[in-house]
Amino acid sequence: MCIPPSSNRNQQRHAQVRPRGGRARQNCPLPRLVRLTVAGATQLQGSEYGEVVDNDCVITVTATTEPDTPQVWANLNWSLGDANDQNNAVRVDRLAVGTRRLTVTLANGQEGSRTLHVDITLVDLTDLAFQLPVQLAGTRRWKAYESDGSARVIATTSPPQPNVYQQLRWDSGAAVMGQAQEHDVALRPARDAAITVTLGNVCEKSLVATVHICTWPALHIQRELFDSLDVLNDGVADFANLFDKMWIEGRPNPAVNTPAANCQSILWYTAGGTISVAPRFRVTTHPTDTESLYVAGQAAVGGVTMRWVSAAVDVAPGAGFVTVPQIAADMALPAGVRCEDAFTIDWYFTNQDNSAWINAGSTQHILYVGLQAPTENRAYWTLLDASCRNAVGQTTENGFVPAAFAALTGTTGDGNGLRRKGDGVRTSYYLQGVNTSGSQVEPSVYSTRGILSRPDGTGRCGGWADLMKHMLRLHGVTGYSLWLIRGADPNAADMTKRFLVKNCAFNGAGTSNAAPYTHLGDQTQNECVKQAGLAGQGKTNPEFDFGDHVVVWHNNIIYDPSYGVHGYADVLTYENAAIDGLGTAQRGMYQWAFAGTPQFIALDTSPGYVEHATDGGATWGEIAVQYGTNADTLEQAPENRGVLTFMNMYPTPVDGLVYVPRAIASAAGFSMLTGHWV
């Protein structure tokens, strides 16, 4: 008997057909396959369904029949899947990507049987990755650095097709136009930025990628430690205090009356040498993680560009400073003396991928470069400055010495004088005239130290010679002291024998009876009259009457630092340029004030002469010919008034000294003074 569905029973009551000649029979509808219902997948269009591969989820396809009874379901034939116990539904696994067609047929062999199908397309979300060079440990983690840009993240699907990309859902980031599988994540502010993409609806698959956005450190130069040679300050208050070879952020530049310990250091190197420096940087922006970077400095000297490049340096998140070990410049200093008032080093550090340099500030220094390796290992600032500043570019000793000496040629006369760098005091020569202390109790006027530290800044000739030699030794140059006296034996120097520095005027024949001296030095007598003369360091009219004098000799040239004059090839040339006459203190000295300065002069003076010793074995003529003159001129010279000749009895002078007038002796190449190395 046919049991129709309840919904059709009333209709079927009226649809009975009575056959001819017999009793009526029932007219039941034919079983048929009505539809397929898909669960666990999303309908794409028509009979096409799609979902994401997921082994934890299944797709169920259920057939609906009429009548929808187990008897009918038993005749269903499924093309794939695992049928349930009643055979009206199958479970389709979601383990493989691709499109599969599932068909079901109602197998009753009667008219009205049909086959239905659904197409199930399975896709997969396989990866989510940032386009960044640094991937961190862990699942889908990358590292980037804070910037105004963005990092792109790309989802990978299987199959990689636009219709699959369109099914992706993103929880953050900015979509990339025309690229549904790509999003951009802003790289500011620093943070851990996670972005999630999801594929599927009924049973979703999501992947998360994280970009660890870090702050890159920023540095600013805070300190530099150099391997400079030692430089000492000078002046009264801070004399001989060492500059610390450091530049420290915020300290003032070296200046007058600024202690060496409180200012930026003077730098001193030798031409051809290499500058090494250990920089320290302030961390102005702290990194998120410990980062490794490089620092570099760059400077130019004399057309040579030198660089300092460090090894990798770590900067920790909490670091306040980063100290870099000493770095040597890649180029040596060029040949020649240098004086750089604003030697500038520009500092940099690398960005996060070492592709560019970021400015880390600049430092300025006073840099002196000496001619060659010094033989004086500590330089007073004043002398280092004076010698380098005046000899810039010199590459040889013979060029350097006169160029450096120029520091002492424009500093003579009142109101001038080489100004000390430490305290601004102008140095001088015999500033107080004869009252300039010269006792062994206070020997400072005889040394470099004294001239550069005394409150008055003055010195005598020995001190100025020492100062010049000290200045030369800073450049590896040797100068020699030449002691000028009247006499051939330095061990028997007679300080009563005087000589007069220019200018003096000898008027008339003179009335001195202390032969061979001709003129009285008593300034009231108007015979040998002191006049404004050769100016000394910082003093127009220093003391001018001396028993000795010290000059400096280099390369057969005499330099007189006391008076700032040079260029003399021998003692005779020097005395002709600088000395006006001789004197003796045997009868005393005359003291008075000249131009307001205490002076003294020997009481007996002369325009000058050369002593010629004779033992009586030569005639006046024989002596005279040695000096290019004749016997009468020599014998009748005023200087020889005290020589007993006994000309009427003997043709030769008595044993003793013959005095050759200066003009005659000088023309013949004889000097009044003798030089001795000391």
Side-chain angles (χ1 to χ4, degrees):
M1 180 179 67
C2 173
I3 303 175
S6 60
S7 60
N8 295 328
R9 287 177 185 172
N10 291 333
Q11 295 178 11
Q12 291 184 20
R13 289 196 188 100
H14 305 286
Q16 292 181 352
V17 179
R18 185 181 297 274
R20 294 178 183 177
R23 56 188 180 92
R25 64 181 178 86
Q26 293 180 326
N27 184 17
C28 292
L30 295 175
R32 67 189 185 92
L33 187 58
V34 177
R35 62 181 174 274
L36 295 178
T37 302
V38 180
T42 302
Q43 187 174 14
L44 302 178
Q45 56 183 2
S47 61
E48 183 179 354
Y49 292 81
E51 264 307 330
V52 66
V53 170
D54 191 329
N55 58 1
D56 292 328
C57 298
V58 295
I59 298 172
T60 301
V61 180
T62 302
T64 300
T65 62
E66 288 188 354
D68 203 20
T69 63
Q71 290 86 345
V72 177
W73 301 338
N75 295 312
L76 294 175
N77 291 318
W78 301 89
S79 65
L80 57 87
D82 297 325
N84 62 1
D85 292 342
Q86 294 179 318
N87 200 43
N88 69 328
V90 294
R91 293 163 57 89
V92 180
D93 67 69
R94 293 164 35 146
L95 300 179
V97 171
T99 300
R100 289 181 290 177
R101 174 162 287 185
L102 182 149
T103 62
V104 61
T105 303
L106 183 59
N108 58 12
Q110 300 180 36
E111 184 182 355
S113 296
R114 61 183 296 194
T115 299
L116 296 179
H117 74 273
V118 290
D119 291 325
I120 300 173
T121 299
L122 295 178
V123 297
D124 195 10
L125 177 60
T126 59
D127 201 6
L128 182 62
F130 277 96
Q131 289 184 317
L132 292 170
V134 179
Q135 186 169 7
L136 302 174
T139 304
R140 296 185 178 87
R141 288 176 54 82
W142 281 262
K143 184 173 183 177
Y145 292 94
E146 188 176 20
S147 73
D148 291 329
S150 60
R152 182 156 296 180
V153 62
I154 300 175
T156 303
T157 65
S158 180
Q161 296 174 348
N163 62 336
V164 181
Y165 300 154
Q166 295 300 325
Q167 300 175 47
L168 296 172
R169 301 189 303 282
W170 300 84
D171 73 336
S172 62
V176 178
M177 184 176 294
Q179 302 292 331
Q181 79 278 23
E182 299 181 9
H183 264 51
D184 286 335
V185 175
L187 293 179
R188 193 179 299 280
R191 67 199 187 281
D192 278 356
I195 186 168
T196 302
V197 65
T198 301
L199 183 62
N201 293 285
V202 177
C203 211
E204 301 172 340
K205 182 174 184 180
S206 297
L207 295 179
V208 180
T210 301
V211 56
H212 180 51
I213 304 171
C214 299
T215 298
W216 185 253
L219 306 180
H220 192 276
I221 188 65
Q222 186 269 336
R223 188 187 72 186
E224 298 157 309
L225 175 60
F226 293 88
D227 62 340
S228 166
L229 295 165
D230 290 343
V231 182
L232 304 171
N233 203 6
D234 47 44
V236 175
D238 203 46
F239 180 73
N241 284 334
L242 184 68
F243 288 95
D244 61 11
K245 307 181 185 181
M246 295 175 67
W247 181 94
I248 299 176
E249 186 178 24
R251 286 204 306 191
N253 291 326
V256 168
N257 293 324
T258 302
N262 297 344
C263 64
Q264 310 296 12
S265 181
I266 304 297
L267 302 181
W268 173 32
Y269 288 87
T270 300
T274 300
I275 298 176
S276 293
V277 57
R280 185 169 80 168
F281 297 86
R282 215 167 14 93
V283 180
T284 57
T285 299
H286 292 89
T288 305
D289 300 337
T290 296
E291 302 289 357
S292 184
L293 49 73
Y294 297 87
V295 300
Q298 180 171 301
V301 178
V304 172
T305 297
M306 57 189 67
R307 296 178 178 86
W308 298 264
V309 181
S310 75
V313 178
D314 288 340
V315 184
F321 298 94
V322 173
T323 301
V324 180
Q326 191 175 77
I327 316 168
D330 64 344
M331 297 290 290
L333 288 161
V337 178
R338 300 284 166 191
C339 175
E340 303 285 341
D341 289 318
F343 172 63
T344 301
I345 303 178
D346 297 315
W347 286 102
Y348 304 89
F349 62 95
T350 50
N351 66 351
Q352 56 266 23
D353 58 2
N354 295 321
S355 63
W357 292 100
I358 302 170
N359 187 272
S362 300
T363 62
Q364 282 195 346
H365 315 267
I366 297 175
L367 170 67
Y368 300 108
V369 180
L371 178 69
Q372 53 200 15
T375 52
E376 183 75 47
N377 293 326
R378 289 191 165 194
Y380 293 109
W381 182 15
T382 297
L383 303 187
L384 187 60
D385 181 87
S387 57
C388 289
R389 192 171 300 279
N390 285 275
V392 169
Q394 296 298 328
T395 58
T396 66
E397 277 197 24
N398 292 341
F400 164 76
V401 175
F405 188 77
L408 303 176
T409 61
T411 52
T412 59
D414 291 343
N416 296 317
L418 183 64
R419 188 186 291 273
R420 291 194 305 220
K421 300 294 289 184
D423 61 5
V425 170
R426 292 188 180 275
T427 56
S428 58
Y429 175 61
Y430 270 95
L431 182 64
Q432 297 87 15
V434 296
N435 291 337
T436 301
S437 173
S439 70
Q440 293 304 311
V441 177
E442 190 182 355
S444 57
V445 292
Y446 299 112
S447 69
T448 301
R449 292 177 59 90
I451 294 174
L452 295 180
S453 64
R454 287 172 58 98
D456 57 10
T458 201
R460 293 191 174 196
C461 59
W464 279 99
D466 184 62
L467 182 144
M468 179 180 173
K469 291 191 297 178
H470 182 104
M471 184 170 69
L472 297 183
R473 291 196 298 270
L474 302 182
H475 299 266
V477 176
T478 300
Y480 299 91
S481 289
L482 188 62
W483 186 34
L484 301 176
I485 60 172
R486 290 175 58 190
D489 185 358
N491 296 315
D494 185 352
M495 290 297 115
T496 65
K497 293 183 176 181
R498 317 293 293 178
F499 50 86
L500 310 177
V501 176
K502 289 187 174 182
N503 286 312
C504 293
F506 290 90
N507 299 319
T511 63
S512 172
N513 57 9
Y517 300 98
T518 56
H519 291 67
L520 295 175
D522 184 335
Q523 296 297 286
T524 65
Q525 301 303 309
N526 199 37
E527 293 186 12
C528 175
V529 181
K530 162 65 177 166
Q531 298 179 336
L534 193 61
Q537 295 294 329
K539 182 69 176 171
T540 299
N541 284 288
E543 171 58 27
F544 74 106
D545 182 308
F546 301 106
D548 66 346
H549 191 58
V550 182
V551 294
V552 176
W553 181 92
H554 177 269
N555 191 34
N556 295 318
I557 295 175
I558 292 174
Y559 295 81
D560 189 343
S562 299
Y563 293 95
V565 294
H566 74 292
Y568 311 109
D570 51 43
V571 173
L572 176 61
T573 305
Y574 171 78
E575 76 177 27
N576 284 338
I579 306 303
D580 251 358
L582 305 180
T584 179
Q586 289 286 352
R587 293 200 308 140
M589 307 290 287
Y590 177 81
Q591 185 165 341
W592 86 113
F594 179 80
T597 301
Q599 301 273 3
F600 61 64
I601 185 173
L603 287 179
D604 298 292
T605 66
S606 164
Y609 56 84
V610 170
E611 295 177 344
H612 181 89
T614 176
D615 59 2
T619 66
W620 285 99
E622 290 172 337
I623 296 172
V625 75
Q626 297 181 46
Y627 294 93
T629 189
N630 56 62
D632 288 344
T633 300
L634 184 61
E635 183 181 11
Q636 296 172 17
E639 288 81 4
N640 285 313
R641 286 181 303 193
V643 178
L644 299 177
T645 62
F646 300 100
M647 286 296 293
N648 294 329
M649 298 176 59
Y650 302 101
T652 60
V654 297
D655 294 349
L657 295 175
V658 170
Y659 301 102
V660 182
R662 176 182 181 177
I664 296 173
S666 178
F670 294 91
S671 63
M672 301 181 295
L673 308 180
T674 57
H676 304 277
W677 304 115
V678 292

